[in-house]
Amino acid sequence: MQSNYVTQKLSMLFLIIGLGWAMNTLAAISGITGSSFNLTAKKDYISTPDGNSIPMWGYANGTGLMQYPGPTLIVNQGDTITIILKNELPQPVSIVFPGQTGVTATGGIAGLITREAAAVSAPVADRTVTYTFTATHAGTYLYHSGTRPELQIEMGLLGALIVRPTGFNASNPTAYNHPHTAYNYEYLFLLTEIDPNIHELVEFNQLNNVDNTAYFPAYWMLNGRAAPDTLLAENNQLLPHQPYNCLPRMHPGDKLLMRVIGGGRDLHPFHHHGNHALVIAKQGRLLESTPGAGPDLATSVFTIPSVPGETVDAIFEWNGADLGWDIYGHQPGDPLEAGEYAPDHGKPIPVILPEGQNLAFWWFLERQSIFRK
Amino acid sequence: MNVISRGYLVPLLLGLPFLFVVNPISANVFVQCPGDIDGDAVIDTPDPNHPHAKCMHLSGGDGFITMADGKEMYIFGFADVTGLTPGEAMITALLSANMPSPAIVLNEGDEFYLTLTNVGMVLRPDLFDAHTIHWHGFPQAAPVFDGVPDASLAIKMGASFTYYYKVNDPGTFMYHCHVEATEHMQMGMLGNLYVKPAQNGTPFTYQGKTYTQFAYNDGDGSTGYDVDFAIQMGSFDPEFHDASEAVQPLPFAHMKDTYPMLNGRGYPDTIISTALPAPSKNGGKVSQKQSSLITANQGKRILLRLSNLNVTEFYTLASLGIPMQIVGKDAKLLRGPDGKNLYYQTNSVTLGSGESVDIIFDTQNVTPGQYFLYTTNLNYLSNNTEDFGGMMTEIVIN
Ligand SMILES: [Cu+2]
């Protein structure tokens, strides 16, 4: 009674899982590494899946394209980090680094929260500011503009900062300097939302008409893209200003480190299907009872309440253990892959699945105009 | 591919009433339950190969509930049709959606066969929506039984899908339909789901009292309780529901919930200990069966399994007069990886949609009387335009 249609569909799912095996090279979050960075604040446009184009301000890597979010800065604990920011925007901009201490700012012009890079109309010498700090703690952090943050962060001037722990070994990585923070894959989940009205007003130089009491987001993004664009490859040429995707992949039994950042102004209950995740750190600090204890105060959750400005590190694992049937689709004689749960090997699925005619695939039906609501 | 073309959509629409009325015993209603002979999801002769089998038959469709200000609200939801033959189930389930959806209560170790039959939307014959069940938080979930339509299977009208869960983990979960989740969840396909631990039945003495019921396998009786309640926080946007009922475009971006609820009812309906009277618009079917009143005798320990499942809001629920002890979060005993006890005392909890906590109220030194559980998102102490009501209920200590 199990139709070919369902079998094909399941095979596709297994194929997608199978593709994961070939993706080992994507074990680490994409970004720019080192201790010295050149960022340029500039304007450009991003694309949304509904065909819209939204004017943005963002940080570019050197002379590269404006990108949303800004380049993910990946640095090593203990290093002195220097970031030189140049400004090509009509307003002064800056960068602040929540969670970092002892940040010094030189050059540019004085600002309210930190020194700023002056607007594009200012003398060239004033349009560059340099920030320096020592990355004393490993972890996941946010960086964003410290100039008119209520406007400029919305406009796109934000990014992620990842500090690798002392002694980091890329072939055996840990999130912090403790073996209980080991992982096989890491993924960034930078949650933001966009109110297109604000961007339009800025585009037409009507900054004074921006009304935050009327804030009304209409796009919600992971790493600068809305679904289904999140599923496209990184550096997709159709999305030149949104280089990062969000398509976590792993093998059964692997540990996947989720670095979740609340980059916007709303709270989001961020639910991951499949299994619980162990929250090991918040705001770049291990949840430990005493220094060196490791994440002994970690808790397992199925929903991460992502709070504006907060970062959460969680380790997700899944191997399909004890489902009562062989989720990998093995026949009894098939070999077991590493990390798979052995006791259910070769056991058939315990129910008869419906025939294809009784199953809906909404994404397909939704595209038929007759079904649009 | 499985395309419904315009060509036979019209005959399909015309034929729809006959599908249910003329020929209610649809061959496509298909309940799978080991040991069940007549397809009513009740085990007639236990199957020795499945000694821990448990079965349930839910229908997915539309219906009505009555809000605390008297408004009859159009909803989508599930109804419990366990015990009915496939033909009976198909008729009984029409326009009988419940809010919240029927509670699913399981024991650790169960093999749970959950059949979902999509009976269609009586008031929306233009809709061909599929439904699923997403067991939110199921550990080690299998995509095929996870209910996410883009990664799994969704059942169309007039047909059934049996979900299979080997229930290995105790705790407070929740469930909902995942098809067009923003719409179907706003419309009300939401329910309580919890699993009792294997430790139940084994006596543990904790703080001088012996318990045989526990929230989790705690090993020391510290989650022991005398009485337990499950409450789901939620809220509805009446304009969205009215638009759905009136076959109008749905205001997704403008969604604004103004009917806050505990178990599908606003105060003062929350303190009615029984089912609410049937609304008139669904033909007199009782559709709000789960009370949100908490009652206990003085000295008893109360376990409250609290979840939040709605589309728009984080909610804070506060307790006045009886402290909360949080012993579980997201269906896990609140302990660190090495077993460190992380229980904590508080007077309020804040949950986003899809979060749960297990709360112990110890009434040892509590004077008998009424105590209030209410949201400190104070604008939600209302039933739409009716000023006082909303997300509030009582703990009555006798
Ligand atoms: Cu549904």
Side-chain angles (χ1 to χ4, degrees), chain A residues 84-298:
Chain A
I84 301 169
L85 172 64
K86 275 190 197 155
N87 190 8
E88 296 180 4
L89 292 173
Q91 273 201 349
V93 296
S94 60
I95 307 179
V96 292
F97 302 89
Q100 311 304 323
T101 52
V103 181
T104 61
T106 55
I109 57 171
L112 180 66
I113 298 175
T114 184
R115 292 192 72 81
E116 301 174 335
V120 69
S121 54
V124 173
D126 290 346
R127 285 164 47 199
T128 299
V129 63
T130 302
Y131 304 100
T132 305
F133 62 89
T134 301
T136 48
H137 288 88
T140 306
Y141 302 94
L142 186 62
Y143 71 88
H144 58 74
S145 176
T147 306
R148 286 199 63 177
E150 88 294 348
L151 176 75
Q152 293 196 356
I153 298 173
E154 164 72 27
M155 288 304 294
L157 290 160
L158 82 167
L161 167 68
I162 291 168
V163 182
R164 301 277 185 224
T166 306
F168 180 75
N169 174 0
S171 59
N172 193 11
T174 58
Y176 293 83
N177 202 347
H178 194 280
H180 291 170
T181 67
Y183 63 88
N184 303 100
Y185 301 90
E186 62 170 351
Y187 287 92
L188 182 67
F189 303 86
L190 175 54
L191 281 58
T192 59
E193 56 274 335
I194 284 179
D195 176 352
N197 293 325
I198 293 178
H199 295 249
E200 224 167 272
L201 290 169
V202 171
E203 166 89 333
F204 294 107
N205 217 8
Q206 298 182 45
L207 286 176
N208 293 335
N209 291 334
V210 171
D211 175 5
N212 272 302
T213 66
Y215 185 69
F216 195 86
Y219 294 99
W220 292 270
M221 316 292 221
L222 283 170
N223 301 339
R225 296 184 187 176
D229 289 353
T230 45
L231 309 179
L232 298 174
E234 296 187 319
N235 300 311
N236 184 298
Q237 37 183 318
L238 298 173
L239 299 166
H241 302 286
Q242 295 146 282
Y244 303 137
N245 68 351
C246 192
L247 182 56
R249 288 175 166 176
M250 61 185 286
H251 311 147
D254 282 348
K255 289 174 191 283
L256 187 150
L257 172 65
M258 305 168 65
R259 298 183 187 265
V260 181
I261 305 179
R265 53 181 93 178
D266 287 342
L267 291 92
H268 298 288
F270 190 52
H271 171 51
H272 49 274
H273 283 238
N275 211 354
H276 284 74
L278 186 69
V279 175
I280 57 165
K282 286 187 179 183
Q283 306 281 37
R285 297 295 181 274
L286 259 190
L287 294 169
E288 58 183 356
S289 56
T290 50
D296 61 339
L297 305 180

Side-chain angles (χ1 to χ4, degrees), chain B residues 130-131 177 179 184 189:
Chain B
H131 295 303
C177 174
V179 173
H184 286 210
M189 307 193 80

Side-chain angles (χ1 to χ4, degrees), chain B residues 100-217:
Chain B
S101 294
I104 296 177
V105 183
L106 300 166
N107 292 312
E108 183 181 342
D110 283 350
E111 265 193 295
F112 186 40
Y113 292 80
L114 175 59
T115 299
L116 169 64
T117 297
N118 183 343
V119 300
M121 315 291 195
V122 174
L123 262 66
R124 292 296 304 271
D126 59 312
L127 292 183
F128 292 85
D129 288 24
H131 295 303
T132 65
I133 286 170
H134 169 53
W135 174 327
H136 182 98
F138 188 81
Q140 304 286 8
V144 65
F145 298 129
D146 195 41
V148 181
D150 356 13
S152 171
L153 314 174
I155 197 70
K156 293 205 290 198
M157 279 192 314
S160 309
F161 183 21
T162 298
Y163 293 80
Y164 173 83
Y165 310 96
K166 192 159 177 286
V167 182
N168 299 320
D169 298 82
T172 302
F173 301 89
M174 59 208 86
Y175 77 100
H176 60 85
C177 174
H178 218 297
V179 173
E180 298 163 334
T182 315
E183 176 187 351
H184 286 210
M185 291 177 69
Q186 168 63 244
M187 289 303 291
M189 307 193 80
L190 318 161
N192 287 300
L193 191 169
Y194 57 92
V195 178
K196 298 181 173 184
Q199 185 179 302
N200 274 11
T202 306
F204 277 87
T205 301
Y206 180 73
Q207 293 181 344
K209 289 175 68 182
T210 301
Y211 300 95
T212 56
Q213 302 179 93
F214 310 91
Y216 291 92
N217 296 310

Side-chain angles (χ1 to χ4, degrees), chain B residues 56-134:
Chain B
M56 190 174 190
H57 186 190
L58 291 179
S59 60
D62 59 352
F64 283 90
I65 61 169
T66 311
M67 309 312 289
D69 63 354
K71 178 187 169 63
E72 294 200 356
M73 182 89 84
Y74 181 57
I75 64 163
F76 298 169
F78 300 103
D80 188 357
V81 289
T82 309
L84 302 174
T85 64
E88 291 167 345
M90 210 62 188
I91 297 172
T92 307
L94 292 177
L95 214 57
S96 70
N98 285 8
M99 179 66 199
S101 294
I104 296 177
V105 183
L106 300 166
N107 292 312
E108 183 181 342
D110 283 350
E111 265 193 295
F112 186 40
Y113 292 80
L114 175 59
T115 299
L116 169 64
T117 297
N118 183 343
V119 300
M121 315 291 195
V122 174
L123 262 66
R124 292 296 304 271
D126 59 312
L127 292 183
F128 292 85
D129 288 24
H131 295 303
T132 65
I133 286 170
H134 169 53

